[in-house]
Amino acid sequence: MRTKIVAGNWKMNMDYFEGLNLFNDMIALINQEVTGKQHAVICSPFIHLHALTKELTNEKVSIGAQNAHQAEAGAYTGEVSAKMIASVGATHVILGHSERRQYFAEDGKLLTQKIDAALAHDLTPIYCIGETLKEREAHHHFDVIKKQLTESVFHLSATDFGRIILAYEPVWAIGTGVTASADQAQEIHAFIRKEIAHKYSQAVADGITILYGGSCNTKNAAELFAKEDIDGGLIGGASLKARDFVDILKVFN
Ligand code: PGA
C-alpha cells in the first residue's frame, strides 16, 4: 500500500499569527477526526516553519517549505537553503511548482540541483509537474510531463527516486476553480507510473506516491482520490481553511 498524503500549500498567505492559528485549528481537528493511516504535510511560508515544527505533536503531520535554494550557503541575498529548512525540523519541500517555474523562471536544470540539494539534507521533495492549457490543447501534455520527469528527477538512483513525492498539477487547474476530471487526472497519473516503471522498475513505480493538485476541494477530492493511481492531493486554496483541509484529509479515513 502506498502512503496516502494530503499536502497543503499555503503559498504566500497567512501572517505569523494567522498561520499559527490555522495550524492549531488543523491539529485539533486532525487529533479528533483523522482515524486512518493517511499523512498530512503542511507547507507554510518560511516564517512559520520553526514555530510549526515546535508545536507539532501529531505524528500524522509533517511540516514542509515551498521552495529551497540549490546552494548550501553563500551570497544569495534573500534565499533560504535546504540545509536551513532541515535545521528547523521541517521534513518536506515543494519544488517545481508551476508558479515558481512561471514567475521565477525555474527550469529543469535548476530544479535538478534543487532536488539534489533537498535530498542531500534529507528533505522529501514534493516535485510538481503539469502542462499549461496551451500545451494540453496542442495535445502535448504527455510530452511535457515526460520532459519534466526526465529533466529533473530521472537522474536519481532508484533508491533516491523512492524518496520523492510527485504531484501532478495541470497549470490550467491551479487556483482557477477548474479541476481536471478524475479520469483526466488518472490518465496522467497512470502515464507517470508507466514512465517510472520503464525508467526504473515496476516496484519503484508501484511504491511512489503521486498527488493530484489544482482546485482540489472538499467536493471533488473523494472522486479524485478513489482513482487507482491518485494517492492524495496537493491543496492550495482549500488548505487555508482548517475545516476544508481536514475534510479532504478525511477522505482516507
Ligand atoms: P489550488 O492550488 O488548490 O488553489 O488550485 C494548488 C497548488 O497550486 O498547489
Side-chain angles (χ1 to χ4, degrees):
M1 257 294 260
R2 286 189 285 273
T3 314
K4 305 297 182 185
I5 294 173
V6 177
N9 175 9
W10 291 2
K11 307 194 179 182
M12 197 174 74
N13 294 295
M14 300 288 141
D15 71 18
Y16 183 68
F17 299 101
E18 290 165 345
L20 284 194
N21 286 338
L22 173 63
F23 181 75
N24 287 327
D25 290 349
M26 279 179 179
I27 295 294
L29 291 173
I30 292 170
N31 286 341
Q32 283 163 23
E33 301 178 11
V34 173
T35 56
K37 289 204 168 71
Q38 68 271 50
H39 199 84
V41 184
I42 295 172
C43 299
S44 73
F46 291 127
I47 60 154
H48 300 99
L49 290 177
H50 188 223
L52 301 194
T53 60
K54 271 206 329 206
E55 299 253 321
L56 191 60
T57 49
N58 190 315
E59 62 196 21
K60 289 181 192 297
V61 181
S62 301
I63 307 300
Q66 301 169 17
N67 178 37
H69 194 271
Q70 64 278 16
E72 286 275 313
Y76 302 103
T77 301
E79 290 293 316
V80 176
S81 71
K83 186 177 178 205
M84 292 169 177
I85 293 165
S87 76
V88 296
T91 51
H92 291 65
V93 60
I94 297 172
L95 292 175
H97 192 282
S98 65
E99 288 152 15
R100 303 275 334 162
R101 293 180 193 262
Q102 186 184 347
Y103 305 135
F104 302 94
E106 295 197 357
D107 61 11
K109 199 164 154 238
L110 176 69
L111 290 167
T112 307
Q113 295 169 20
K114 291 192 173 207
I115 293 275
D116 290 346
L119 289 173
H121 292 286
D122 283 332
L123 292 176
T124 302
I126 302 175
Y127 177 60
C128 304
I129 56 180
E131 80 284 359
T132 62
L133 184 60
K134 210 167 140 209
E135 287 161 345
R136 180 164 278 263
E137 283 174 350
H139 305 288
H140 289 155
H141 40 297
F142 292 109
D143 294 342
V144 170
I145 298 293
K146 187 170 178 177
K147 180 164 179 274
Q148 290 172 334
L149 288 169
T150 309
E151 275 178 347
S152 302
V153 285
F154 276 2
H155 67 290
L156 297 172
S157 67
T159 308
D160 280 347
F161 191 82
R163 296 166 63 201
I164 73 172
I165 295 169
L166 291 175
Y168 169 56
E169 297 207 307
V171 180
W172 46 272
I174 296 176
T176 57
V178 182
T179 321
S181 71
D183 286 338
Q184 275 175 324
Q186 166 59 26
E187 184 184 35
I188 299 283
H189 282 232
F191 172 75
I192 293 169
R193 228 179 273 289
K194 197 180 83 203
E195 290 299 315
I196 297 167
H198 189 240
K199 166 75 190 171
Y200 295 98
S201 68
Q202 194 59 48
V204 171
D206 287 342
I208 190 155
T209 295
I210 310 178
L211 310 179
Y212 168 80
S215 299
C216 183
N217 57 39
T218 53
K219 294 199 174 64
N220 56 35
E223 193 191 347
L224 286 158
F225 299 173
K227 292 291 178 186
E228 191 184 338
D229 290 300
I230 303 180
D231 305 311
L234 179 53
I235 319 296
S239 76
L240 299 175
K241 292 191 189 123
R243 181 72 271 166
D244 285 10
F245 183 72
V246 176
D247 279 348
I248 296 170
L249 190 57
K250 281 167 66 184
V251 168
F252 291 115
N253 267 4

